[in-house]
Amino acid sequence: MDFLGLTPEAQAFVVFCVGMLVLMGIGMNMGLALVLTGAGMAWVLGFWDAQLLAQNLVGGVDSFALLAVPFFVLAGELMNAGGISRRIIDMAQAWVGHVRGGLGYVAIGAAVLMASMSGSALADTAALATILLPMMRDRGYPLHTSGGLLASGGIIAPIIPPSMPFVIYGVTTNTSISALFLSGIVPGLIMGAGLILAWRWVLRDIDLPAEPKVPLAERLKITGRAFWALLMPLIIIGGMKSGVFTPTEAAVVAAMYALVVALFIHREMRLAELLPVLVNAGRTTAVVMFLCAGAQVASYMITLADLPGVLTGWLGGLVESPRLLMAVMMIVLVLIGTALDLTPTILIFAPVMLPIAVKAGIDPVYFGLMFVLNGAIGLITPPVGTVLNVVAGVGRMPLAQVIRGVNPFLITYALILALFVVFPQIVTAPLVWMR
């Protein structure tokens, strides 16, 4: 097939870009859009074969590592239903709730702790907003600022292990999931520290009453109630670091641990309430898995068309300057993140960008961390801003109000991202030590 004198590989690139833009523009399901785009690329490359497409669809979900997805999703659902999330928030409130603007610090601390258990930005944000947003409203906190802070805290979940996006990235790009998990610990803590500084800056112009200080005995009692919740990340991260279980097995351990705690220790969930939890987890898993299946079709054709090689040729001298190349890629991903959710961004663009980064001498684990971090920031970036929509829905507030409130924290994350680009050692040095 001859189209404007382009080579088949260039034609495939055009089909990929134009096809995704058109299909997303008409509102087609992302997984189906990936399948159709991959089929179009197969046609122009001369590899059209329905059986080949079917094999790639099955191959996209036929992965042991992807078993972590449904179990991490289930763990997040069980945490919310079984009182684990609420106990984390209660503990944070007992220790820092009396400080001026204390509920903001509670939100940040709880976000970091919950991120080390579920790995889902949407689940963590929903839990934080459901519990804390009404409390912040009742105590006179500006609603837009509160919503923006809760949304910003929720996106720490994809960075601190266990992280579902890291699992998907690792499977998609054949990168070590364990190494990706370890790479997210320090950046996740830096994100939490950045939010604390940003919240302190926001508080300058807000007059908030101080809450009564909780007596030490009561603090210890509340912390004791959160013991089983605090033990969960230690078991997950410690088990993976010591080699007792793989990241996939860690997901199963997390789900079973949350189930046992919810049913038999906290006793805040009955067996009859387990079915809705399983249904919600199943729905989320089905969406993610169909995206993975469709992405495998497109990814296979991207490999045949050698799109990374085509883009490497276009980038020219940028490949010789790793930091400049990383900066350019992050800018591109910022633009992509405003239009796509995190999972589709990983599935579509990670297989294209990673070979270019590796050719430039960029560590694949470091690039994976930066890729997921950028995509996570896209969750609080309009117009899509999935996490922003969660906060707006839970708080029954206009989306524009949440967008206005998230701006100071979005700027903070942008500065952190730039810091990691300029000084990659912040990510790579601790990773070497933790390995």
Side-chain angles (χ1 to χ4, degrees), residues 8 10 23 38 49 51 96 106-107 172 176 188 194 219 241 243 257 263 295 300 309 312 328 344 356 367-368 375 414:
L23 295 177
D49 185 341
Q51 185 176 355
V96 300
V106 169
T172 304
S176 168
R219 292 187 195 181
K241 180 68 174 66
Y257 182 88
L263 288 177
Y300 184 77
T312 300
V328 171
I356 300 173
F367 181 78

Side-chain angles (χ1 to χ4, degrees), residues 41-390:
M41 294 172 68
W43 182 53
V44 299
L45 287 170
F47 282 97
W48 171 256
D49 185 341
Q51 185 176 355
L52 182 63
L53 295 180
Q55 287 175 345
N56 276 281
L57 276 171
V58 174
V61 294
D62 185 17
S63 168
F64 174 74
L66 279 180
L67 281 174
V69 172
F71 286 104
F72 277 137
V73 172
L74 179 58
E77 294 284 347
L78 289 169
M79 280 174 52
N80 294 335
I84 295 177
S85 300
R86 184 173 55 78
R87 279 171 167 77
I88 290 293
I89 293 173
D90 288 345
M91 185 192 70
Q93 186 177 359
W95 286 99
V96 300
H98 63 279
V99 180
R100 180 175 173 269
L103 285 179
Y105 298 115
V106 169
I108 297 168
V112 172
L113 287 172
M114 290 168 60
S116 64
M117 301 178 197
S118 75
S120 169
L122 299 185
D124 282 11
T125 304
L128 289 169
T130 300
I131 299 172
L132 286 174
L133 202 53
M135 296 171 61
M136 298 175 93
R137 181 191 286 117
D138 293 342
R139 287 163 174 76
Y141 285 66
L143 199 56
H144 67 283
T145 305
S146 303
L149 176 64
L150 292 171
S152 303
I155 68 165
I156 298 177
I159 306 302
I160 293 181
S163 163
M164 194 168 66
F166 278 152
V167 173
I168 296 171
Y169 181 92
V171 173
T172 304
T173 62
N174 198 28
T175 304
S176 168
I177 297 174
S178 296
L180 288 168
F181 276 8
L182 293 175
S183 74
I185 296 175
V186 172
L189 295 176
I190 291 175
M191 290 171 72
L195 286 184
I196 291 174
L197 295 176
W199 180 243
R200 288 177 62 88
W201 183 80
V202 168
L203 286 176
R204 295 178 311 158
D205 303 322
I206 303 175
D207 184 21
L208 294 173
E211 298 289 325
K213 189 172 183 178
V214 179
L216 179 60
E218 185 65 19
R219 292 187 195 181
L220 295 175
K221 184 178 179 181
I222 294 173
T223 303
R225 291 176 189 157
F227 171 78
W228 295 103
L230 295 173
L231 193 60
M232 186 174 177
L234 296 178
I235 292 174
I236 295 171
I237 298 174
M240 289 188 297
K241 180 68 174 66
S242 61
V244 174
F245 41 72
T246 66
T248 303
E249 294 163 346
V252 180
V253 171
M256 291 304 300
Y257 182 88
L259 179 63
V260 170
V261 170
L263 288 177
F264 305 111
I265 299 178
H266 292 168
R267 297 183 181 180
E268 293 196 14
M269 190 177 75
R270 296 174 300 169
L271 278 174
E273 298 170 339
L274 182 59
L275 181 59
V277 171
L278 294 173
V279 170
N280 289 337
R283 286 173 177 166
T284 304
T285 301
V287 172
V288 174
M289 288 303 186
F290 185 60
L291 279 170
C292 291
Q296 177 62 25
V297 176
S299 178
Y300 184 77
M301 296 306 161
I302 285 171
T303 302
L304 289 180
D306 191 26
L307 293 194
V310 173
L311 290 176
T312 300
W314 290 356
L315 290 170
L318 282 178
V319 180
E320 306 301 323
S321 177
R323 285 197 177 102
L324 183 58
L325 177 65
M326 179 64 78
V328 171
M329 285 185 167
M330 292 302 104
I331 293 172
V332 171
L333 285 172
V334 165
L335 298 175
I336 293 170
T338 62
L340 285 180
D341 208 343
L342 177 54
T343 299
T345 301
I346 294 172
L347 293 171
I348 298 171
F349 295 99
V352 178
M353 290 185 166
L354 180 60
I356 300 173
V358 171
K359 187 170 184 179
I362 298 173
D363 183 272
V365 176
Y366 164 72
F367 181 78
L369 179 279
M370 296 295 287
F371 192 105
V372 173
L373 173 57
N374 203 308
I377 294 173
L379 295 174
I380 58 170
T381 306
V384 176
T386 311
V387 168
L388 298 178
N389 282 284
V390 170

Side-chain angles (χ1 to χ4, degrees), residues 401-426:
Q401 198 173 8
V402 187
I403 293 173
R404 182 163 65 95
V406 84
N407 285 332
F409 312 108
L410 190 57
I411 292 171
T412 300
Y413 281 154
L415 292 174
I416 291 174
L417 188 66
L419 184 68
F420 291 164
V421 171
V422 177
F423 301 104
Q425 297 84 0
I426 297 175

